[in-house]
Amino acid sequence: MTMTLHGVGASAGIGIGTAVCVREQNLDYTSVPFSGAEQEKARLRAAADLFTQRTQAMADDITNRLGEAEAAILTGQIMMLEDPFMLSQMEEAIDTGKCAEEALDTVCQTFIAMFSGVEDELMRQRAADIGDIRTRMLGILLHAESVDLAALPEGTVLVVHDLTPSMTVSLSKEHVCAILTEVGGQTSHSAILARALEVPAVLGVPGLLDAVQDGMTVAVDGTEGAALLCPDEATLAAFQARRDKWLEERALLQVYRDRDTRTADGRHVDLYANIGSVADAKAAAEAGAEGIGLFRTEFLFMDRTALPDEEEQYQAYAQVSDLMAGKEVIIRTLDVGGDKGIAYLEMEREENPFLGHRAIRYCLDRPDLYRVQLRALLRAGARHGNIKIMLPLVSGVEEVRGARALLEECKAQLSAEGLAFDPHISLGIMVETPAAALIADLLAREADFFSIGTNDLTQYTIAVDRGNAKVEKLYTCYHPAVLRSIRSVIAAGKAAGIPVGMCGEAAADPRMIPLLLAFGLDEFSVSPSSILAARKQIADWNGPDALRTAEQAMALDTAAQVSDFLAQASASL
């Protein structure tokens, strides 16, 4: 009997194959005796050394197969385990009479609970990392056999509780046609790794391992977030036809790799990439990005115990500038707070962190911290003159003026010190609050460019928590209020003669592309993996058709009507 499971569509595509369920190892250590503090500490250190050796080997392999960005997840685990604080906590637990296994488990569970309790999705990924460290370290200490994924048969639909980085090293995308997990979301490590492997994936499926048995035929739709168990012949044939079409479309996208981004009637738009690291910039360049529309610098501040100094920040910005020499690199200043907590900054817990002391508000109140970043950006800008600075969560002109004043102070300091910098560096803003959208005409007099952040703009405009499953259906960029905001912001930028881009998820949405073209958006910034598809979708539209589609869509009353209409318009091309 056919059964449909639903989760998060985290890696697009269609996969059809046979289920292989990977269940957790037996890591029971209750019978392990305590052999004395020194011996248990020696066992712990030996296990940590072996963990590091194996993990580094995995990271090297992933670098060769997938890239440095994906390998960084594993090297980050090495850094976590080698953190003196974590190891000292384990050794202190051993001093109380716990064996190495129990000491490791106790400390890891403490950190998992701590990271799992924060709102920041990226910080919650630290919990997943520590869970992976715990499992593998216990496996080493107990001499338990780990799961061998290298021997999976061709046509496997891998069914797991979670796809950990250490599991990925053995996976072959020639053998694994789809992935299903019980946990994980769009920004989880599982999603990142599945997309890097270019394997369709549905994550966060409740009760998955209870519902699926080894050997079942499973059809997975990684775009819609659905999996069919034991589909009948007719359903299977329909899925196979969709899979054939998907594979054909993916192959055809390669012709867009080195093309200029133009509409069907020849209008050029910039197609940039969103990145969070130097490794991401390499992936963006390889994917054919025409620039960087968003470099999220908060990733430089995470997974560490102290602030990165000016030289470290300079080196990161300079490397991205070098990689994209001749192309624009828009770097967002520290966007901390809200869902992005950084423990060592000791920010106070707030009742409504998304409405609290975050992003540009926090940075302007910490000029000591902010000047370090601004100086590093100015210095990196001197290399090729291609860096632009972007301010997050602006809600008023005073914030832009405050940041510009600090920037001028930094220029004066660098000049007095005889250090090279870009004196003409552009200063723009992210438009992601209703306040900024409503006064876009005023902000356009202060900013050198706009970039619309649709993720937060949608959340704030509709007053809906995008992380709350109970109101998730209300969170949509097709809401007429959001679309009107986007249109008016672009119009304000045009009237002031400044470029307007978009770096939110909507920039890669095929249903949104005709609207954004019709509104006059200058720059689309998407994830590196979405560049080729976005370039093709832009090439499919001409100006008159996009304008006609936009006029009809903007006359509709509800988000559902807009979404359905745009889906039909996109499908009819």
Side-chain angles (χ1 to χ4, degrees):
M1 179 178 174
T2 300
M3 177 181 181
T4 302
L5 304 177
H6 297 280
V8 176
S11 184
I14 305 293
I16 303 169
T18 303
V20 174
C21 300
V22 177
R23 304 182 190 277
E24 294 184 4
Q25 304 163 253
N26 179 10
L27 299 176
D28 181 13
Y29 54 81
T30 53
S31 62
V32 175
F34 178 72
S35 303
E38 290 311 311
Q39 189 168 338
E40 294 299 332
K41 289 177 184 178
R43 289 180 61 230
L44 179 68
R45 293 189 199 105
D49 289 343
L50 184 55
F51 174 95
T52 298
Q53 291 172 22
R54 289 179 177 175
T55 306
Q56 188 59 58
M58 291 175 183
D60 293 342
D61 184 66
I62 286 186
T63 298
N64 294 331
R65 293 197 296 121
L66 302 180
E68 290 183 8
E70 289 70 31
I73 298 171
L74 282 168
T75 54
Q77 289 188 359
I78 295 173
M79 292 172 62
M80 286 182 202
L81 185 59
E82 290 181 343
D83 187 301
F85 179 71
M86 178 175 274
L87 283 172
S88 67
Q89 291 283 96
M90 293 177 189
E91 292 188 341
E92 286 177 16
I94 288 173
D95 286 333
T96 67
K98 289 181 169 65
C99 65
E101 289 85 352
E102 186 179 2
L104 170 88
D105 192 21
T106 301
V107 173
C108 285
Q109 295 290 10
T110 299
F111 277 96
I112 290 169
M114 179 177 69
F115 285 124
S116 298
V118 301
E119 295 184 6
D120 173 18
E121 174 66 21
L122 292 168
M123 294 301 284
R124 285 202 297 271
Q125 289 314 306
R126 303 294 81 79
D129 279 321
I130 293 171
D132 195 19
I133 291 170
R134 170 191 172 275
T135 299
R136 293 174 54 221
M137 280 286 288
L138 283 175
I140 292 170
L141 286 164
L142 294 167
H143 305 289
E145 290 295 320
S146 58
V147 178
D148 181 11
L149 300 180
L152 291 174
E154 191 173 343
T156 290
V157 174
L158 182 63
V159 182
V160 295
H161 175 69
D162 191 12
L163 178 67
T164 64
S166 57
M167 295 168 75
T168 309
V169 71
S170 302
L171 290 183
S172 166
K173 64 181 179 181
E174 286 73 30
H175 288 184
V176 177
C177 64
I179 296 168
L180 297 173
T181 74
E182 285 189 320
V183 299
Q186 274 284 357
T187 58
S188 67
H189 287 345
S190 303
I192 293 168
L193 295 167
R195 288 193 289 267
L197 287 164
E198 297 182 322
V199 173
V202 178
L203 311 182
V205 181
L208 175 66
L209 285 164
D210 292 330
V212 183
Q213 301 298 320
D214 284 311
M216 275 185 175
T217 298
V218 183
V220 177
D221 186 335
T223 304
E224 297 298 325
L228 273 68
L229 309 183
C230 305
D232 57 39
E233 288 187 13
T235 304
L236 196 59
F239 251 83
Q240 187 60 57
R242 290 175 60 198
R243 175 172 167 74
D244 292 343
K245 183 180 179 183
W246 170 67
L247 290 171
E248 181 183 351
E249 289 173 349
R250 191 170 68 164
L252 290 173
L253 286 178
Q254 296 306 312
V255 303
Y256 291 91
R257 184 170 298 280
D258 299 313
R259 286 191 185 180
D260 192 25
T261 305
R262 292 187 179 276
T263 60
D265 51 352
R267 174 190 160 200
H268 173 78
V269 295
D270 292 320
L271 183 56
Y272 290 179
N274 300 331
I275 66 169
S277 67
V278 176
D280 288 349
K282 292 178 182 177
E286 290 169 3
E290 296 165 1
I292 301 300
L294 170 63
F295 182 176
R296 304 178 181 93
T297 59
E298 56 270 16
F299 288 96
L300 298 175
F301 292 73
M302 293 178 172
D303 294 334
R304 55 191 302 142
T305 57
L307 287 164
D309 62 19
E310 181 180 321
E311 190 60 28
E312 184 178 349
Q313 291 190 55
Y314 164 75
Q315 290 295 336
Y317 308 146
Q319 286 182 65
V320 175
S321 176
D322 291 347
L323 280 167
M324 306 301 292
K327 301 176 180 178
E328 285 187 352
V329 175
I330 299 174
I331 301 180
R332 182 175 70 187
T333 60
L334 182 60
D335 186 5
V336 68
D339 64 343
K340 304 184 189 75
I342 297 178
Y344 61 79
L345 291 180
E346 297 181 349
M347 300 174 71
E348 292 183 11
R349 185 173 179 81
E350 298 175 300
E351 287 296 320
N352 295 296
F354 280 101
L355 305 179
H357 195 221
R358 57 171 295 209
I360 189 64
R361 303 165 183 177
Y362 176 83
C363 288
L364 289 176
D365 286 345
R366 287 291 308 274
D368 55 327
L369 176 152
Y370 207 23
R371 285 190 190 95
V372 173
Q373 183 170 40
L374 294 176
R375 282 172 57 98
L377 288 166
L378 283 163
R379 289 175 55 204
R383 298 174 73 88
H384 304 286
N386 61 339
I387 287 179
K388 292 184 172 185
I389 299 173
M390 182 162 66
L391 310 177
L393 206 78
V394 166
S395 57
V397 295
E398 62 274 22
E399 291 163 336
V400 186
R401 292 171 182 169
R404 197 177 288 280
L406 275 177
L407 193 64
E408 293 303 317
E409 284 182 27
C410 292
K411 290 179 183 179
Q413 290 174 355
L414 292 170
S415 180
E417 295 167 22
L419 294 173
F421 65 94
D422 181 2
H424 306 298
I425 201 163
S426 293
L427 182 68
I429 68 165
M430 282 191 75
V431 179
E432 51 186 336
T433 67
L438 287 168
I439 60 167
D441 58 328
L442 303 181
L443 289 167
R445 301 174 194 167
E446 307 286 338
D448 298 321
F449 64 91
F450 285 164
S451 184
I452 303 171
T454 51
N455 299 353
D456 268 345
L457 182 61
T458 300
Q459 174 173 244
Y460 291 131
T461 299
I462 309 175
V464 58
D465 178 0
R466 54 188 165 122
N468 185 336
K470 292 181 179 178
V471 293
E472 184 181 11
K473 63 183 179 182
L474 299 176
Y475 178 82
T476 170
C477 62
Y478 308 120
H479 193 296
V482 178
L483 296 179
R484 291 184 185 189
S485 290
I486 292 170
R487 182 176 62 182
S488 66
V489 169
I490 296 172
K494 292 288 182 188
I498 64 171
V500 183
M502 177 179 288
C503 57
E505 293 296 323
D509 186 337
R511 288 172 287 187
M512 286 291 291
I513 282 175
L515 299 188
L516 300 176
L517 289 171
F519 295 163
L521 190 73
D522 300 300
E523 171 236 306
F524 295 70
S525 193
V526 304
S527 66
S529 62
S530 298
I531 286 172
L532 298 184
R535 184 167 287 144
K536 178 191 181 300
Q537 288 149 6
I538 290 168
D540 285 342
W541 286 94
N542 63 46
D545 285 344
L547 187 60
R548 185 164 48 252
T549 299
E551 288 174 347
Q552 291 176 268
M554 296 302 288
L556 299 172
D557 300 329
T558 70
Q561 290 174 339
V562 172
S563 177
D564 290 345
F565 171 74
L566 292 177
Q568 292 171 12
S570 180
S572 67
L573 290 176

